[in-house]
């Protein structure tokens, strides 16, 4: 039987992917083809990146850096990063 924390984590993933996808759509002006496309391949650049980071911080309460986006350039990777950062802030295991 799964514990409450692992159930919450599984339920949180789709919400975080939706949050990141929405930030990308608002920033880039269109829906990306899939969650594994790089932000830069989707048309993002360093100027647009600043807007993306601000939108994600506003909707998630978690601030990522430009370097974080370089290391996690896709919607799926950024959602996972937000999930890890949220857990780190709570002191919960990954």
């Amino acid at each position: 039987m799964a514990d409450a924390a692992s159930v919450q984590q599984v339920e949180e993933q789709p919400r975080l992917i939706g949050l990141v996808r929405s930030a990308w759509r608002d920033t880039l002006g269109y829906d990306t083809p899939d969650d594994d496309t790089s932000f830069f391949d989707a048309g993002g650049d360093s100027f647009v990146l600043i807007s993306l980071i601000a939108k994600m911080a506003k909707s998630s309460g978690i601030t990522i850096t430009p370097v974080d986006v370089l290391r996690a350039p896709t919607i799926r990777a950024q959602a996972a990063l937000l999930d890890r950062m949220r857990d780190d802030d709570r002191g919960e295991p990954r």
Side-chain angles (χ1 to χ4, degrees):
M1 186 167 155
D3 63 9
S6 63
V7 169
Q8 180 181 0
Q9 187 173 17
V10 168
E11 292 173 353
E12 190 70 6
Q13 284 296 323
R15 186 187 78 78
L16 289 172
I17 288 174
L19 181 148
V20 175
R21 191 181 294 135
S22 177
W24 279 42
R25 181 178 51 249
D26 292 349
T27 303
L28 296 171
Y30 66 92
D31 286 322
T32 56
D34 64 59
D35 295 340
D36 295 312
T37 298
S38 165
F39 177 72
F40 301 100
D41 289 342
D45 59 32
S46 58
F47 296 108
V48 177
L49 175 62
I50 302 306
S51 178
L52 175 69
I53 289 170
K55 288 180 188 310
M56 285 198 285
K58 184 177 180 180
S59 58
S60 73
I62 300 169
T63 302
I64 63 172
T65 68
V67 172
D68 291 329
V69 175
L70 293 173
R71 291 182 180 153
T74 67
I75 289 173
R76 190 177 318 278
Q78 289 169 14
L81 174 66
L82 290 175
D83 190 39
R84 284 191 306 274
M85 292 175 80
R86 184 204 63 222
D87 287 349
D88 288 348
D89 285 346
R90 292 183 186 166
E92 295 176 4
R94 293 181 186 189

